[in-house]
């Protein structure tokens, strides 16, 4: 991933394509978001990180089998794979594309509202990989160059944009969370995959709190100390350490204690700082209330995955087995069980951790998959869901990936459903038996009685929250026509986010990695209803 090499001073609002006015009522700036009205305005659905929409009563376990494709939005074929989870508010769906645009469309019909082109800010090609957050009169989102944007939700015109990090490879995959007039967002990086010729590494992860109206940084919490020169690499390039500890996912916030919770990634060099950790920060000041590290040593860069002995010289801890890549890239869940306020979070090692939200002390942990050597692709990737009764957690490429329901007080497994055995032998995936894998890429979503999870096999499925039984399945690996006039073909369900269910409609991005991406059609956002 490339960071932008330049920065443009913005004196006037960026240009947008305004197709039609947004007529729905929009709350004034600073107004509280009506979480209970059935909208899905932020990545986790609410500030507590539940990924549960309690107001969704149109789609039920009894009628979910009647869902059908209502409309699709197609991306240009050269754009790549989509990852930006949609947000739904006041009859409009907002989503970012791999083509470097943020879109606002009519939630029910797909009709155009406006399009914002990120190319009007900064320099270099870009994409939107996080999910937007809608709050007050603005839509907030980041890009792969390390910028955070705020645009007017009625018109799509730019209010402000701020580059949060200028380190090569800096990226915003953390979806913003808005609370009490501030935007909380993490910054991560792909600097550790820039290759042996790069003087690795100077990036250090951070969580930022910005004024929601102006974009001014209120505080910044770095996850590792400032990197210093630490010798040279085998090719003579300078080495810097410690580095890494990126913040990949969206935070959650407890509005009562005013505590922000978020997970961090592995180190790139050295071993210092709060890598592979859960952070509990004061929302007002950014000071740590507690931090809890889950992995003692985890220093990883791209060369750690190579079989070439020359490459492995750049991964000095590979022989002792501590080049792990065991990020806490999943978003946290805040809930109450057994009379205690708890924070839960999944890790790429395959463990779901539950900690006391006040102290950070472990309450219980559950190993749900066996870790893969030198990489956490078998573990828990992007996020889990809590519906007030159970925790729902999915493992990725765990041979096969499996969807679990756990007791929130004890971690006891209530049911588990492996990725269906016919996923790679039916539908579009059947054409690619050597590539298709039975895994769960997206974050888990719930509505009353239903668990929503998409697969690497291209199927979007609804499961019974009571039993884990598949209630509905749709193969997205098919040709569709986009409402925007372009053809599309789905594929693996998108990582970086999950399904969004709001006001009787299901939204999902399809055409993610590990699918033979067709070069004659682009990926798609698909929308289902009854």
């Amino acid at each position: 991933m490339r960071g932008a090499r330049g920065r443009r001073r913005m004196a006037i609002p960026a240009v947008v394509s305004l197709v039609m006015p947004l007529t729905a009522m929009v709350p004034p700036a600073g107004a509280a978001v009506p979480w209970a009205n059935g909208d899905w305005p932020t990545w986790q659905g609410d500030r507590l990180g539940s990924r549960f929409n309690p107001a969704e009563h149109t789609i039920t376990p009894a009628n979910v089998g009647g869902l059908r494709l209502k409309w699709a939005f197609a991306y240009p074929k050269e754009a790549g794979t989509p990852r930006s989870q949609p947000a739904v508010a006041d009859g409009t769906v907002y989503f970012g594309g791999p083509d470097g645009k943020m879109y606002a469309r009519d939630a029910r019909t797909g009709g155009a509202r406006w399009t914002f082109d990120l190319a009007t800010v900064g320099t270099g090609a870009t994409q939107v990989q996080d999910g937007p957050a809608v709050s007050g009169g603005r839509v907030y989102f980041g890009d792969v160059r390390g910028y955070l944007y705020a645009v007017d939700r009625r018109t799509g015109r730019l209010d402000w944009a701020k580059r949060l990090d200028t380190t090569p490879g800096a990226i915003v995959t953390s979806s913003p969370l808005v609370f009490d007039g501030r935007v909380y967002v993490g910054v991560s990086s792909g600097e550790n995959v820039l290759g042996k010729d790069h003087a690795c590494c100077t990036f250090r992860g951070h969580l930022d709190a910005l004024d929601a109206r102006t974009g001014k940084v209120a505080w910044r919490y770095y996850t590792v100390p400032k990197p210093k020169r630490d010798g040279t690499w085998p090719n003579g390039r300078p080495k810097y350490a410690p580095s890494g500890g990126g913040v990949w996912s969206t935070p959650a916030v407890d509005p009562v204690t005013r505590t922000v919770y978020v997970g961090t990634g592995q180190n790139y060099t050295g071993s210092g700082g709060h890598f592979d950790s859960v952070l509990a920060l004061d929302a007002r000041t950014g000071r740590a209330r507690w931090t809890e590290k889950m992995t003692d040593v985890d220093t990883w860069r791209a060369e750690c995955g190579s079989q070439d002995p020359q490459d492995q010289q750049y991964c000095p801890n590979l022989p002792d087995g501590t080049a792990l890549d065991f990020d806490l890239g999943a978003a946290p869940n805040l809930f109450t069980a057994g009379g205690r306020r708890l924070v839960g979070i999944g890790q790429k090692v395959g463990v779901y951790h539950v900690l006391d939200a006040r102290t950070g002390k472990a309450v219980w942990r559950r190993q749900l998959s066996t870790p893969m050597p030198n990489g956490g692709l078998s573990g828990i990737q992007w996020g889990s869901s809590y519906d007030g009764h159970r925790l729902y957690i999915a493992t990725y490429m765990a041979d096969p990936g499996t969807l679990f329901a756990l007791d929130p007080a004890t971690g006891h497994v209530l049911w588990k459903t492996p990725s269906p055995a016919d996923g790679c032998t039916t539908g579009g995936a059947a054409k690619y038996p050597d590539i298709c894998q039975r895994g769960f890429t997206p974050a888990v979503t719930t509505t009353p009685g239903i668990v929503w999870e998409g697969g690497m096999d291209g199927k979007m499925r609804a499961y019974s929250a009571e039993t884990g039984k598949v209630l509905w399945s749709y193969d997205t690996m098919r040709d569709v026509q986009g409402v925007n006039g372009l053809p599309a073909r789905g594929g693996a369900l998108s990582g970086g986010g999950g399904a969004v269910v709001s006001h009787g409609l299901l939204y999902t991005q399809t055409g993610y990695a590990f699918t033979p991406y067709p070069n004659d059609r682009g990926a798609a956002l698909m929308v289902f209803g009854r």
Side-chain angles (χ1 to χ4, degrees):
M1 302 171 185
R2 295 181 300 169
R5 295 292 190 259
R7 185 176 182 180
R8 181 177 299 169
R9 187 179 183 87
M10 290 166 292
I12 59 174
V15 178
V16 298
S17 172
L18 182 60
V19 183
M20 60 187 294
L22 182 57
T23 57
M25 287 291 291
V26 177
V33 177
W35 303 106
N37 72 351
D39 284 352
W40 191 287
T42 192
W43 195 87
Q44 301 220 71
D46 58 26
R47 296 185 180 113
L48 298 179
S50 73
R51 295 195 59 85
F52 171 59
N53 190 344
E56 177 51 53
H57 299 296
T58 300
I59 305 174
T60 69
N63 66 27
V64 67
L67 286 182
R68 59 185 179 87
L69 183 67
K70 304 292 285 188
W71 60 270
F73 180 91
Y75 299 104
K77 62 183 180 181
E78 64 276 4
T81 59
R83 295 177 61 171
S84 175
Q85 178 184 289
V88 179
D90 296 316
T92 299
V93 56
Y94 305 88
F95 55 96
D99 55 351
K101 295 181 174 63
M102 175 59 63
Y103 296 96
R105 313 287 293 194
D106 183 283
R108 303 211 69 82
T109 68
R113 303 290 204 196
W114 51 256
T115 300
F116 173 78
D117 190 346
L118 280 66
T120 59
V121 177
T123 60
T126 191
Q127 297 181 354
V128 180
Q129 290 196 359
D130 67 347
V134 184
S135 180
R138 299 180 180 89
V139 182
Y140 302 89
F141 56 94
D143 75 0
V144 299
R145 302 173 302 174
Y147 280 91
L148 183 69
Y149 303 78
V151 302
D152 187 289
R153 66 188 281 191
R154 296 176 185 270
T155 66
R157 298 192 71 85
L158 181 69
D159 278 349
W160 54 260
K162 187 174 185 65
R163 195 173 184 191
L164 301 179
D165 201 301
T166 59
T167 309
I171 181 173
V172 177
T173 61
S174 170
S175 299
L177 177 68
V178 184
F179 171 65
D180 198 22
R182 288 180 175 173
V183 185
Y184 299 88
V185 65
V187 180
S188 193
S189 167
E191 190 185 11
N192 60 331
V193 298
L194 292 182
K196 294 178 291 186
D197 289 334
H198 177 68
C200 180
C201 281
T202 60
F203 172 80
R204 50 179 177 158
H206 48 98
L207 183 75
D208 293 357
L210 299 92
D211 184 285
R213 184 176 60 85
T214 67
K216 181 180 179 181
V217 176
W219 55 256
R220 171 170 292 170
Y221 186 92
Y222 283 106
T223 62
V224 300
K226 187 175 182 178
K228 298 180 181 179
R229 179 70 182 266
D230 185 30
T232 59
W233 295 104
N235 61 0
R237 293 285 185 177
K239 178 182 179 182
Y240 300 90
S243 63
V247 178
W248 293 96
S249 64
T250 186
V253 63
D254 189 325
V256 176
T257 64
R258 306 178 72 82
T259 306
V260 180
Y261 300 88
V262 76
T264 69
Q266 90 285 349
N267 274 3
Y268 300 165
T269 54
S271 59
H274 302 297
F275 61 89
D276 290 1
S277 298
V278 179
L279 311 178
L281 309 179
D282 185 303
R284 183 179 62 86
T285 66
R287 293 190 181 95
R289 290 185 165 154
W290 54 260
T291 67
E292 185 70 14
K293 186 175 293 184
M294 304 304 180
T295 311
D296 289 335
V297 183
D298 187 4
T299 305
W300 190 91
R301 57 181 289 181
E303 286 72 23
C304 295
S306 173
Q307 300 302 311
D308 186 338
Q310 296 298 317
D311 287 344
Q312 292 177 7
Q313 296 180 70
Y314 297 83
C315 188
N317 62 326
L318 185 61
D320 66 9
T322 56
L324 302 171
D325 192 22
F326 284 164
D327 299 55
L328 285 157
N333 313 110
L334 286 169
F335 55 95
T336 299
R340 304 171 71 177
R341 191 64 156 170
L342 305 173
V343 55
I345 190 168
Q347 188 176 1
K348 285 166 67 176
V349 70
V351 174
Y352 188 82
H353 307 268
V354 172
L355 313 175
D356 186 294
R358 183 178 60 86
T359 65
K361 300 302 181 184
V363 176
W364 58 263
R365 307 181 197 270
R366 180 65 65 191
Q367 182 85 46
L368 299 177
S369 63
T370 302
M372 295 171 64
N374 186 33
L377 293 179
S378 64
I380 302 162
Q381 291 289 314
W382 288 108
S384 43
S385 184
Y386 174 68
D387 67 355
H389 303 286
R390 307 172 192 87
L391 286 161
Y392 304 91
I393 305 157
T395 56
Y396 193 17
M397 292 189 287
D399 196 29
T402 302
L403 180 63
F404 295 85
L406 303 185
D407 184 307
T410 65
H412 177 68
V413 176
L414 302 174
W415 55 256
K416 61 180 180 179
T417 301
S419 175
D422 65 353
C424 291
T425 60
T426 59
K431 300 177 182 178
Y432 312 103
D434 296 333
I435 298 176
C436 181
Q437 292 177 289
R438 293 169 58 200
F440 291 126
T441 319
V444 184
T445 299
T446 55
T447 56
I450 302 176
V451 184
W452 305 88
E453 178 66 354
M456 296 172 67
D457 56 13
K459 277 77 169 177
M460 183 66 223
R461 298 181 178 93
Y463 299 82
S464 166
E466 291 284 342
T467 66
K469 178 184 177 181
V470 176
L471 302 176
W472 169 82
S473 178
Y474 184 92
D475 180 25
T476 69
M477 203 177 295
R478 64 179 71 189
D479 293 347
V480 296
Q481 185 66 25
V483 293
N484 54 330
L486 296 176
R489 182 178 298 134
L493 274 295
S494 181
V500 168
V501 186
S502 176
H503 300 292
L505 294 174
L506 161 68
Y507 305 82
T508 186
Q509 298 268 32
T510 175
Y512 190 56
F514 305 109
T515 300
Y517 197 76
N519 54 24
D520 60 330
R521 288 173 176 257
L525 170 74
M526 293 189 182
V527 183
F528 303 87
R530 298 185 63 251

